[in-house]
Amino acid sequence: MALNIFEALRESHERQRELYRQLIETSGDTPERQTLFEQLKTELLAHELAEERHFYIPLMEHDAGVDLSRHAISEHHQLDELVESLDDADPATPTWLPLAKKLAEKVEHHLKEEEHRFFQMAGKLLTEKQKTQLAKDYFATYEEAKTTTA
């Protein structure tokens, strides 16, 4: 059975959760911290691109989907800014971990909001056929983005 868009998004959400949980357990400028941060950054960017293209843009075709989609895309922008701040910060300094924890909190807030509010609304707006096709399109864009950003 083909996955629908919600199952596809949840897979990436779980990867994001696992990566940020591991990242905030690290300390100092270690290869582990660098690797986990790069993996999380790649995951977030690929997910955002594919999600905006194959979840939020289709939802914006419905009046009921516009405000929530705008809100979610705005949160993606906030996450991007936090990732940029972490990129610019020295992982060896004491300011890095609180920034990583702030990113983790923002990611979790965003994922919960999507799973508990957006998915319900989208479930009513999208047809079953759309949900399956959007998942296929999402995975194609997501995989392509992961290889080009990594």
Side-chain angles (χ1 to χ4, degrees), residues 23-89:
L23 180 65
I24 62 175
E25 294 299 315
T26 63
S27 57
D29 188 5
T30 60
E32 180 193 22
R33 178 176 273 185
Q34 289 294 333
T35 300
L36 287 167
F37 177 59
E38 287 304 317
Q39 288 174 340
L40 179 60
K41 188 166 71 170
T42 300
E43 182 67 33
L44 288 171
L45 292 173
H47 175 74
E48 285 176 9
L49 175 70
E51 184 178 58
E52 286 177 14
R53 200 173 282 172
H54 304 295
F55 186 60
Y56 289 117
I57 288 174
L59 286 177
M60 288 177 109
E61 292 174 11
H62 303 270
D63 290 346
V66 172
D67 286 344
L68 281 177
S69 296
R70 283 186 181 150
H71 176 76
I73 291 168
S74 158
E75 285 188 347
H76 283 176
H77 182 66
Q78 292 169 8
L79 295 174
D80 293 344
E81 288 180 343
L82 279 168
V83 166
E84 238 175 74
S85 298
L86 276 167
D87 245 347
D88 295 341

Side-chain angles (χ1 to χ4, degrees), residues 6 18 38 52 54 68 102 104 123-124 144:
F6 308 114
E18 187 57 35
E38 287 304 317
E52 286 177 14
H54 304 295
L68 281 177
K102 185 176 179 185
K124 295 176 187 141
E144 184 183 323

